[in-house]
Amino acid sequence: MCTAATYQTKDFYMGRTLDYEFSYGEEVTITPRNYEFDFRYAGKAKTHYALIGMAFVAGDYPLYYDAANEKGLGMAGLNFVGNAAYADEATEADKDLVQVAQYEFIPWILTQCASVAEARRMLSNMKLMGTPFSEQLPTAQLHWMIADKEECIVVESMKDGMHIYDDPVGVLTNNPPFPGQMFALNNYAGVSRKQPESTFAGVLELDPYSRGMGGMGIPGDLSSQSRFVKVAFTKLNAISGDGENESVSQFFHILGSVDQQRGCCEVSEGAYEITIYTSCCNTTKGIYYYTTYDNHQITAVDMYAENLDSDKLIRYPIILNGEIRWHNKK
C-alpha cells in the first residue's frame, strides 16, 4: 500500500511512498502550462498551472500518482480499497455539479487551484465519477491528500457521499477511512520521544534496560493503520534545520520509517509488496526528489529548469538501479 506525508521547514514539502508488487512504468512528469487537458466531462483546459509529479503516461495522458503545481499545492492519491465509491452516472439532481472522472481528479484540482482553500471551493461543486480511463486501466479505488503550506485535507468519496476532512497531522495511509486513522492515535497518547519512566505499577521497579528507547510502544508492522501511527509520530517529532539538503534528507528518513522490504508482505503466492519509490516534492521551489527500491541515491527534477510554457509533456524515466561508491577501488 502507500503512505503520504507533509513536512514544513523554511519550505513546504510533500511526498509519498508507492508500495506495490509491480510497477506500471511510472516517470517523473512535468505538465507545462499549455498542455491541453481534455477532461471527460468538464471540457478542455488549454492554459493552466504547470504540474510536476510521478505519473504513468498512457497515450500522452499523465495519470498522476502524486503531483504539485507551480503555486505550491500538492496532491496524492492512495489506495482505499473496499471503501471508495464513485458515481456511475449523472442524475437530474447533479445538473449544477461539475462531473470529474476519478483518473483526472489530480490534474483537475492542480491545474486550477492555487491553495487548499481554493480546492475546498471546487470540491463543494463537483461529483467524482467512476468512469475508467480505458478497458485496460479500470477505475482505481483511491482517496486523496491535498496540502499546501497552510493546511492539509483528505478527500474520500464513499457510498454515503463525498467527505472532506481536515488533516492536522499531515499524514495519510490506506484504510480505515481517515477518521479511523486519526482515532487510532488515542491508543498511543502516552508514547514519548524520551526514555520511558516506569508507570506500570508502584509495587514494581521497572527500569529502562538500554539507551534509545524513545517511541516505545509505536507499532512496527506494515499494516496501513500501523504505518499511519508510525509516520505521524516520526514526522511530528522529527527535527530538521531549514537547509534544502537537510530538509529533504529528513523527509526521506520520515517516510523511510515505513519502507517495505521484499519478502515481508506477501499479497499473493510469490508476490510481495515493496516500496517501489519514495517521493519528496519541495512545492515551494518546484523540485521533485525520489528514490527507488534499488536506488537510494536521491534524484531530483527541477520543473523551472524546463520550458513551462510548452504544450508537450516533459518526461524523465526513473532511475531504478543505484551505484556503490568505492573509497579504495577503481
Side-chain angles (χ1 to χ4, degrees):
M1 293 292 105
C2 311
T3 306
T6 64
Y7 195 55
Q8 179 78 53
T9 57
K10 182 180 69 174
D11 293 335
F12 178 70
Y13 301 85
M14 180 175 176
R16 56 95 55 80
T17 63
L18 179 72
D19 305 319
Y20 214 60
E21 67 269 31
F22 63 87
S23 168
Y24 282 95
E26 52 277 346
E27 302 171 302
V28 179
T29 304
I30 298 170
T31 302
R33 300 178 186 118
N34 292 305
Y35 172 90
E36 183 174 284
F37 278 104
D38 189 1
F39 295 117
R40 184 67 66 99
Y41 304 101
K44 295 182 178 182
K46 296 183 178 180
T47 59
H48 48 74
Y49 298 136
L51 318 179
I52 185 170
M54 192 72 77
F56 169 56
V57 179
D60 199 44
Y61 189 93
L63 297 166
Y64 277 109
Y65 303 173
D66 57 280
N69 67 20
E70 60 184 296
K71 296 298 183 179
L73 183 66
M75 189 168 177
L78 282 72
N79 271 341
F80 193 43
V81 176
N83 283 304
Y86 315 111
D88 291 326
E89 59 184 23
T91 66
E92 183 63 23
D94 302 328
K95 62 182 180 180
D96 295 326
L97 299 179
V98 179
Q99 298 170 59
V100 178
Q102 171 270 329
Y103 67 83
E104 61 191 12
F105 187 32
I106 289 180
W108 187 77
I109 289 290
L110 294 184
T111 55
Q112 304 179 79
C113 300
S115 65
V116 171
E118 289 186 13
R120 285 184 191 271
R121 290 193 289 272
M122 297 287 287
L123 291 167
S124 68
N125 191 44
M126 66 154 285
K127 184 169 187 176
L128 206 54
M129 309 298 290
T131 311
F133 179 78
S134 67
E135 291 184 2
Q136 293 74 33
L137 294 170
T139 303
Q141 297 185 59
L142 304 175
H143 58 174
W144 294 265
M145 173 191 280
I146 306 175
D148 61 21
K149 65 181 180 179
E150 301 296 336
E151 57 181 326
C152 179
I153 60 175
V154 170
V155 179
E156 296 180 342
S157 180
M158 302 174 66
K159 289 182 180 179
D160 60 348
M162 178 83 75
H163 302 276
I164 302 171
Y165 302 105
D166 291 326
D167 183 351
V169 298
V171 177
L172 180 66
T173 56
N174 308 107
N175 282 307
F178 184 69
Q181 296 187 31
M182 282 296 298
F183 184 80
L185 295 180
N186 289 290
N187 295 321
Y188 306 94
V191 175
S192 170
R193 67 172 70 177
K194 298 182 181 297
Q195 287 286 96
E197 297 180 4
S198 177
T199 58
F200 187 81
V203 297
L204 297 174
E205 293 185 6
L206 302 176
D207 297 318
Y209 50 83
S210 74
R211 295 183 64 195
M213 296 180 72
M216 195 170 187
I218 288 293
D221 63 82
L222 297 176
S223 67
S224 56
Q225 185 68 90
S226 293
R227 284 185 281 108
F228 180 84
V229 174
K230 181 69 179 292
V231 172
F233 176 82
T234 307
K235 174 207 162 167
L236 295 174
N237 285 281
I239 297 172
S240 173
D242 284 338
E244 181 72 355
N245 288 355
E246 185 177 355
S247 300
V248 171
S249 174
Q250 186 73 314
F251 190 91
F252 278 101
H253 281 298
I254 291 167
L255 285 183
S257 68
V258 291
D259 264 357
Q260 293 205 25
Q261 298 80 29
R262 183 177 286 111
C264 294
C265 185
E266 187 176 49
V267 291
S268 61
E269 184 66 31
Y272 303 93
E273 276 197 348
I274 61 170
T275 300
I276 293 175
Y277 77 84
T278 303
S279 68
C280 168
C281 185
N282 181 330
T283 70
T284 308
K285 292 185 170 69
I287 303 173
Y288 190 91
Y289 302 91
Y290 72 88
T291 61
T292 65
Y293 189 82
D294 288 317
N295 180 17
H296 283 194
Q297 171 67 50
I298 298 172
T299 304
V301 179
D302 184 348
M303 70 187 297
Y304 291 104
E306 306 292 343
N307 176 15
L308 295 184
D309 289 320
S310 170
D311 61 357
K312 300 289 191 298
L313 295 179
I314 302 156
R315 300 160 57 179
Y316 287 94
I318 60 177
I319 301 172
L320 296 174
N321 298 316
E323 298 179 357
I324 296 175
R325 181 179 294 177
W326 289 89
H327 275 297
N328 64 346
K329 188 176 180 180
K330 294 182 179 181

